[in-house]
Amino acid sequence: METAELLETLDREGTLLAAAAAAAGPDAKVPTCPEWQVRDLLRHTGTVHRWAAGLIAGGHTAPRPVDDPPELDGAELLAWYRDGHRLLVDTLAAAPADLECWTFHPAPSPSPLAFWTRRQAHETTVHRYDAEAARGGTPSPVEPGFAVDGIDELLRGFHARSRSRLRSEEPRVLRVRAEVAGAETDAVWTVRLTAEPPVTVRTADEAAETELSGPADQLYLALWNRTAVPEVSGDPSLAALWQERSGI
């Protein structure tokens, strides 16, 4: 996706998150993150937004620590979250195309600016879903092309890092297939599991033991462990391995 599209998504999703959090209230449980209440979700997401904005604005080429979340609550916490989200959107919008900045996973990206816009758009979308789950009712839709992009970032970014726990002592092959209505072909990834970090390619050239599939928007949320995988075919033990070890 284009960076401008991702920035628009970040802007919209962050606003939806705030609205859902306000409707749910700070004490509401977040069913997709059982250890959290809405106040914890706002503190986490707002802190990440400020951390990313600081990295981008400062052009930092090395990692920097994430600040502790504030002890704010209620209306003050919601205002703090909204201010941090606006700061992040405005910082990305003002950043130069040739921004030099630290990034932290190897998913293909044309620039650090594109990396951070993409990362924060997906970070915010997943947590918007969390806020809407706490509020109840019908969640806002995830655009299919954006969902495909997020699956790609998860598989070829987060799970290419050394800290990924998605491993197997015996070599195994997992297929992920996202269906996009109106597209000529599905979006397909093949994930090769060994005792080392997974290696993922955008092909289906080899046999897989298990396939996780479904409409792109549903599969996106499922692979981020927010909902159940729409369809599992093949060896269910590999699907169970994903559920147990793929958390970020």
Side-chain angles (χ1 to χ4, degrees):
M1 295 184 69
E2 295 294 329
T3 300
E5 293 177 90
L6 291 166
L7 185 60
E8 290 176 2
T9 300
L10 169 60
D11 194 353
R12 180 181 65 253
E13 293 289 330
T15 300
L16 288 171
L17 191 160
D27 295 330
K29 295 288 187 181
V30 181
T32 46
C33 301
E35 71 279 12
W36 278 359
Q37 294 174 291
V38 164
R39 63 172 55 86
D40 302 304
L41 176 63
L42 288 172
R43 288 169 180 165
H44 167 80
T45 312
T47 298
V48 170
H49 284 172
R50 282 172 163 75
W51 170 71
L55 283 166
I56 296 156
H60 295 290
T61 56
R64 295 176 65 82
V66 180
D67 291 337
D68 292 333
E71 293 301 318
L72 300 172
D73 207 351
E76 288 184 330
L77 175 61
L78 190 60
W80 173 86
Y81 164 79
R82 285 183 165 130
D83 287 346
H85 170 243
R86 179 48 46 198
L87 174 65
L88 175 60
V89 171
D90 291 348
T91 299
L92 286 164
D98 61 352
L99 171 72
E100 293 187 11
C101 186
W102 172 75
T103 61
F104 64 85
H105 67 56
S109 185
S111 69
L113 179 59
F115 172 94
W116 280 107
T117 309
R118 179 194 207 191
R119 174 80 295 277
Q120 291 305 305
H122 290 295
E123 174 85 11
T124 305
T125 297
V126 171
H127 288 316
R128 180 271 298 164
Y129 182 84
D130 293 333
E132 292 182 343
R135 179 203 63 196
T138 303
S140 303
V142 178
E143 194 277 320
F146 178 73
V148 168
D149 182 77
I151 294 169
D152 190 75
E153 189 209 26
L154 177 62
L155 296 177
R156 298 205 289 165
F158 281 98
H159 285 299
R161 298 191 300 172
S162 61
R163 66 177 62 186
S164 174
R165 299 183 299 113
L166 190 63
R167 305 185 186 210
S168 172
E169 290 302 319
E170 296 297 326
R172 307 194 71 179
V173 180
L174 172 68
R175 181 101 67 239
V176 175
R177 183 182 301 275
E179 303 157 2
V180 179
E184 293 184 3
T185 60
D186 297 334
V188 180
W189 298 261
T190 298
V191 185
R192 300 168 184 144
L193 301 179
T194 65
E196 299 299 319
V199 175
T200 301
V201 294
R202 288 290 299 265
T203 67
D205 293 340
E206 61 186 287
E209 300 167 57
T210 304
E211 181 170 290
L212 311 180
S213 62
D217 57 337
Q218 297 178 33
L219 192 61
Y220 171 78
L221 294 170
L223 294 178
W224 278 104
N225 293 312
R226 264 50 187 188
T227 61
V229 174
E231 185 175 347
V232 177
S233 58
D235 186 346
S237 69
L238 195 45
L241 182 72
W242 173 274
Q243 187 173 23
E244 293 165 6
R245 301 188 186 180
S246 67
I248 301 301

